[in-house]
Amino acid sequence: MVTLTGEAAAHWRRLVAHQRPEWPGPAELGAVTDRLAALPPLVAPEESDTLTARLARAAEGKALLLQGGDCAERFDHLSAPAVHSTLRLLRQMAMILAYASELPVVTVGRMAGQYAKPRSRPTETVDGRTLPAYRGDAVNGIGFSPAERRPDPARLLRMYDASRTTLDLLRGYAHGGPGPRQLHQETLDFVADSPAGERYGALADRIGRALPRDGTRGTDSTYGGGAPAPTTEVFAGHEGLLLDYEAALTRRDPRSGRRYAGSGHLLWIGDRTRRLDGAHVAYFATVDNPIAVKLGPTATPGEALALVDRLDPERRPGRLTFIVRMGAHRVRYLLPELVEKVTATGAPVVWVCDPMHGNTFEAPGGQKTRRFGDILAELAGFFEVHRALGTHAGGLHVELTGADVTECVGGGAGLGFGDLHRRYESACDPRLNRGQALDLAFLAAEMFAARRGDAPAPPAPSGA
Ligand code: PEP
Ligand code: CO
C-alpha cells in the first residue's frame, strides 16, 4: 500500500523518462495535462483493487490471466463492432482455457488506452526522407508527413475520450453481450470449419456439456466437472508509457488516501522502459494499481529481483506480474533462472507468457510478421520451464483482434507470406486473427490440462 506525500510522489519527475515524445513547448503540454487533471478518472480505485484480488489468486496458482488486444489501438478504428468482436474472442478463449485448466480466467483487454508505442528507432526513413517515427495515436499521426509526425499534446485528450468510449463499450457488453451458450456455439462453428477440428472437437464437446443450462450468464454458477463458470467480468490495461498522461489521471482515493492511476486497471511497463533508474519504475511505485513489467531477453535475475523490491516491497499478492517475452528459441534457457531466483525470495509474482514480441521478423514482402509455430513454441517452452520448477504458468498476453486480418503466418488456416498483403491493418505489430487466436486457445488448453497432470476430462454431467 502506498501513501506518499506530494514530494515523494513527484520524485519520478526528476528521472529520465525513456521513450518520452519530444513534445512541443511545456505550455502546450501543460494546458493539456491541466485539463486531464480536472477530468474524472476513467476507472475506479475499487475496480483496480478487484483486479488485484483476482490476480492474487493467479499468484497463488489458483487462476490464470488472459490479456489480449491490439498492439496499437487507433482512434479512427474505434467502433462498437470492433471492440465487441475482440471481447467476444477473449471470452471464447477464456471459456476454453477455464474449462481445460479448471481455473478461473481473469480477462484483461489490451484496450481502452493502448495508444502509445515505444520505438527502437526515433526516426523512420522512406525513399531517402527521414521523419520522426510513429509513436501511437496518442502522440502523432501514422501518415508519413512532417505535420502528421509532429507530437501533438492535444492527442492526449483524444486518447482520454477514446479510452472512455471503449470502457463504456466494455462495460455495456458485460451486461448485454452474448451469454456462454451463444459464445460456445460460435466456438463450435469455428471447430466445424477448422482443419484441426478433429483435434479440438472432444474438448469443445465437453465444454458444451458442462455449460450452465439455464441461460444465465454464468456469473455465479459452475461448470460441470469442477471448472469455474464463464464470467463476463473484464478489465482494461495498457502500457503506461506516457507518464505525462498517466500522472495527470492519477488521483488520491479519498476513502483510503491511496493513489491510483485512473487511466486503466492494469498498467504495464514495457521492456524498453523498465530501467531501475528510470522514471517509469519510480512513477509506478507511487500508485496502487496492479502493475506488470515486460521482461525481454536482456532482463537479468538481479534486475527482476530489484523490480520486485521497487514495485512490490510489501509482497502483496496480485500487485506485480512479470510478462516474459524471450523468443521461442530463448525461453527455455533464459526463463528458469529468473523464475528460480524470484521464487526463492518468496515474492508472489504472477508469471505470464507473451509469446509475440520475441518472435517478430520481416516477411519477404517487407511486412512485420510472426509465425504461429514460433508463438506456440514459446508458450510450450514457458510451460515446460514452470512444470520443471513446480511453479505456476500464470497466463498469456497476446496481440490479437476479432477481425479476419492477415498479419501473422501459419495457424489452422495456413496463412502464408503471400497472404499478408490481403488484410494487413495493424499500425504496429502483427496480431493473431480470430481463427489463429482460437487455435492458440485450444492448443494452450492442452498445455494447461497437461499441467494438471491428468489426461481424462471430467465426465459429462448426468442427463447431458
Ligand atoms: C508491446 O507490448 O507492444 C511492446 C512494445 O512490448 P515490449 O515492451 O515487450 O517490447
Ligand atoms: Co506490440
Side-chain angles (χ1 to χ4, degrees):
M1 179 187 318
V2 188
T3 40
L4 292 173
T5 62
E7 175 60 18
H11 164 68
W12 64 270
R13 290 191 188 273
R14 292 192 288 274
L15 305 176
V16 179
H18 294 280
Q19 298 279 340
R20 185 172 188 245
E22 289 188 16
W23 298 114
E28 207 178 317
L29 177 65
V32 167
T33 52
D34 285 353
R35 274 196 53 200
L36 288 169
L39 290 167
L42 295 167
V43 301
E46 48 269 36
E47 295 174 334
S48 296
D49 285 347
T50 300
L51 179 55
T52 303
R54 301 282 185 266
L55 291 172
R57 301 286 289 165
E60 289 167 17
K62 295 185 178 138
L64 299 175
L65 171 62
L66 171 66
Q67 226 181 339
D70 292 333
C71 178
E73 288 178 290
R74 302 287 311 280
F75 296 151
D76 289 346
H77 295 184
L78 169 54
S79 71
V83 171
H84 288 167
S85 75
T86 297
L87 270 179
R88 238 179 156 87
L89 173 59
L90 286 172
R91 287 190 49 208
Q92 281 180 272
M93 295 173 76
M95 281 173 68
I96 295 164
L97 295 173
Y99 185 80
S101 65
E102 296 190 353
L103 295 175
V105 174
V106 185
T107 303
V108 180
R110 225 186 113 107
M111 52 172 72
Q114 183 52 26
Y115 287 104
K117 300 309 300 171
R119 301 318 303 246
S120 36
R121 277 185 291 272
T123 57
E124 184 182 351
T125 301
V126 175
D127 296 334
R129 201 157 157 240
T130 299
L131 290 175
Y134 171 64
R135 288 183 177 271
D137 277 10
V139 178
N140 57 4
I142 199 165
F144 196 72
S145 72
E148 281 271 295
R149 291 296 171 89
R150 172 186 176 271
D152 178 2
R155 286 176 168 271
L156 297 176
L157 294 167
R158 290 185 69 190
M159 172 178 181
Y160 175 90
D161 286 340
S163 301
R164 189 176 53 186
T165 304
T166 307
L167 281 162
D168 283 349
L169 289 166
L170 224 120
R171 291 180 171 125
Y173 198 72
H175 297 292
R181 287 236 147 245
Q182 191 181 337
L183 289 172
H184 181 64
Q185 185 55 51
E186 291 173 19
T187 303
L188 291 178
D189 295 344
F190 163 78
V191 169
D193 289 344
S194 165
E198 224 167 288
R199 180 166 180 179
Y200 308 153
L203 174 58
D205 286 344
R206 292 200 305 270
I207 296 173
R209 287 199 298 270
L211 278 177
R213 317 219 127 245
D214 54 12
T216 64
R217 294 187 186 286
T219 39
D220 50 13
S221 42
T222 53
Y223 270 132
T231 165
T232 57
E233 188 179 68
V234 59
F235 299 91
H238 62 269
E239 177 172 351
L241 185 70
L242 301 176
L243 296 183
D244 298 290
Y245 177 83
E246 300 302 341
L249 286 178
T250 298
R251 303 281 183 277
R252 188 177 293 281
D253 177 6
R255 302 162 315 155
S256 65
R258 294 152 58 196
R259 290 160 46 83
Y260 289 83
S263 64
H265 304 111
L266 172 65
L267 301 175
W268 74 86
I269 304 174
D271 191 46
R272 292 174 184 78
T273 48
R274 61 173 168 72
R275 289 183 43 170
L276 292 159
D277 59 354
H280 290 81
V281 169
Y283 163 75
F284 283 107
T286 71
V287 294
D288 262 350
N289 304 58
I291 299 300
V293 185
K294 294 277 205 100
L295 298 179
T298 60
T300 64
E303 284 170 339
L305 294 176
L307 285 165
V308 172
D309 283 340
R310 294 287 299 284
L311 290 168
D312 186 23
E314 293 167 23
R315 307 290 195 264
R316 208 156 43 101
R319 156 69 172 174
L320 184 60
T321 294
F322 280 143
I323 305 170
V324 285
R325 31 84 91 224
M326 297 299 178
H329 58 296
R330 297 196 192 98
V331 63
R332 286 181 179 79
Y333 69 88
L334 289 179
L335 185 57
E337 199 187 352
L338 290 179
V339 176
E340 250 171 335
K341 295 251 161 85
V342 171
T343 305
T345 69
V349 309
V350 182
W351 292 97
V352 168
C353 177
D354 164 359
M356 313 297 289
H357 287 88
N359 297 307
T360 317
F361 65 99
E362 195 176 309
Q367 303 95 337
K368 254 199 212 183
T369 192
R370 292 160 174 156
R371 281 190 192 86
F372 185 84
D374 292 342
I375 291 166
L376 196 62
E378 176 149 4
L379 189 59
F382 175 83
F383 268 98
E384 267 173 40
V385 169
H386 282 288
R387 191 167 207 186
L389 295 173
T391 46
H392 180 51
L396 194 55
H397 178 116
V398 268
E399 290 181 339
L400 53 73
T401 169
D404 265 336
V405 299
T406 58
E407 298 172 3
C408 292
V409 294
L415 287 186
F417 292 135
D419 295 306
L420 294 180
H421 72 278
R422 285 201 285 115
R423 194 170 166 194
Y424 198 107
E425 294 174 3
S426 177
C428 196
D429 291 336
R431 301 161 294 177
L432 298 174
N433 64 24
R434 178 172 180 274
Q436 289 168 327
L438 288 172
D439 279 322
L440 188 68
F442 273 107
L443 297 169
E446 291 177 7
M447 298 178 205
F448 280 111
R451 179 199 61 93
R452 298 199 321 260
D454 60 2
S462 57

